[in-house]
């Protein structure tokens, strides 16, 4: 029984130390950073699309954090753009950094692929664009009709994916998600001094390994 108290106190101390180093101090470093110059706030449609991005679980397969050239040149060579800083996510609550890359990084997909038609086709059926794609299709974000109504946005599909005698039109959810993806563009210059704060932990860990 006498040993339980030191163990309990030690566990609390470790948890408090980890919270301080991993949550409190990093949060204090970036809390007061203003949005990066050139960063526009999300429009209402983009915010609705961002919620769809969360609802569909896109974060489980896509990241939004290209790594710095000092860590790897792979991300830069793939055209994913510069490494972001905290100021690039000033309007993101919660952020969608992601932890896996089953698919490509999407932080600058709006710059790489600005076409709404491309995104709608890709969301409806990724194999209509890349026959090797393992991305799931999202047909429930669309509607099949005999004829498009005025104002409908018809999805452009190759003949082999076009439903016979029908057209595929985008629901509002698909249009919102496409607008959010089109808005992902952090190709403006990085915020001053943002790189130093971003790479501080990585630089310290590399220094300790030497």
């Amino acid at each position: 029984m006498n040993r339980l108290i030191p163990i309990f106190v030690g566990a609390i101390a470790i948890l408090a130390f980890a919270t301080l180093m991993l949550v409190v101090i990093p949060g204090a470093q970036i809390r007061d950073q203003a949005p990066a110059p050139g960063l526009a706030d999300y429009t209402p449609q983009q915010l609705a699309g961002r919620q769809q991005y969360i609802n569909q679980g896109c974060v489980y397969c896509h990241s939004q954090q290209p790594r710095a050239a000092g860590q790897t040149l792979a991300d830069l060579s793939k055209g994913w753009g510069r490494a972001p800083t905290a100021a690039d996510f000033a309007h993101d609550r919660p952020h969608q950094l992601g932890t896996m890359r089953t698919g490509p990084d999407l932080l600058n997909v709006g710059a790489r692929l600005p076409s709404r038609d491309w995104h709608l086709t890709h969301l409806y059926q990724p194999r209509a664009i890349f026959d090797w794609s393992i991305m799931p299709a999202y047909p429930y974000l669309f509607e099949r009709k005999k004829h498009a109504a005025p104002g409908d946005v018809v999805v452009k599909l190759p003949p082999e994916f076009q439903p016979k005698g029908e057209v595929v039109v985008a629901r509002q959810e698909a249009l919102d998600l496409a607008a959010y993806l089109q808005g992902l563009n952090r190709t403006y210059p990085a915020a001053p001094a943002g790189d130093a704060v971003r790479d501080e932990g990585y630089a310290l860990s590399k220094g300790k390994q030497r």
Side-chain angles (χ1 to χ4, degrees):
M1 182 67 181
N2 291 338
R3 298 178 60 187
L4 290 178
I5 293 177
I7 292 174
F8 178 76
V9 172
I12 294 297
I14 291 172
L15 179 62
F17 179 77
T19 302
L20 176 67
M21 299 302 294
L22 300 177
V23 179
V24 177
I25 292 178
Q29 286 181 310
I30 65 175
R31 183 176 294 114
D32 297 329
Q33 289 199 24
L39 176 65
D41 202 351
Y42 294 113
T43 66
Q45 184 179 25
Q46 289 170 341
L47 282 174
R50 188 174 186 275
Q51 188 59 52
Q52 284 299 320
Y53 186 93
I54 295 171
N55 293 347
Q56 305 307 325
C58 302
V59 70
Y60 296 117
C61 293
H62 295 281
S63 62
Q64 291 189 22
Q65 49 172 330
R67 291 170 293 180
Q71 299 177 26
T72 177
L73 295 175
D75 290 5
L76 191 62
S77 68
K78 292 175 181 176
W80 290 347
R82 64 167 177 80
T85 67
D88 293 317
F89 302 101
H91 302 308
D92 287 76
R93 296 181 180 85
H95 66 70
Q96 298 298 303
L97 296 180
T99 59
M100 293 187 64
R101 283 179 176 167
T102 305
D105 188 276
L106 296 181
L107 186 62
N108 291 296
V109 70
R112 298 196 307 269
L113 298 165
S115 168
R116 182 180 70 171
D117 287 342
W118 189 96
H119 287 291
L120 293 176
T121 301
H122 191 239
L123 289 169
Y124 178 74
Q125 178 49 266
R127 262 68 63 192
I129 295 179
F130 303 116
D131 59 5
W132 43 262
S133 177
I134 61 172
M135 174 176 160
Y138 298 92
Y140 50 86
L141 298 179
F142 301 83
E143 185 178 355
R144 291 165 57 165
K145 295 181 175 182
K146 290 292 184 181
H147 303 285
D152 281 345
V153 177
V154 178
V155 180
K156 298 178 180 179
L157 294 166
E160 61 269 30
F161 291 96
Q162 184 69 49
K164 190 173 182 179
E166 294 180 317
V167 294
V168 176
V169 301
R171 297 183 185 272
Q172 189 60 50
E173 294 91 334
L175 296 172
D176 293 343
L177 180 51
Y180 170 68
L181 294 171
Q182 288 178 283
L184 289 176
N185 184 345
R186 307 294 195 273
T187 55
Y188 49 77
D195 292 346
V197 175
R198 181 197 64 222
D199 296 336
E200 183 178 355
Y202 179 78
L204 288 173
S205 66
K206 292 294 288 182
K208 292 178 180 179
Q209 294 174 11
R210 295 193 182 112

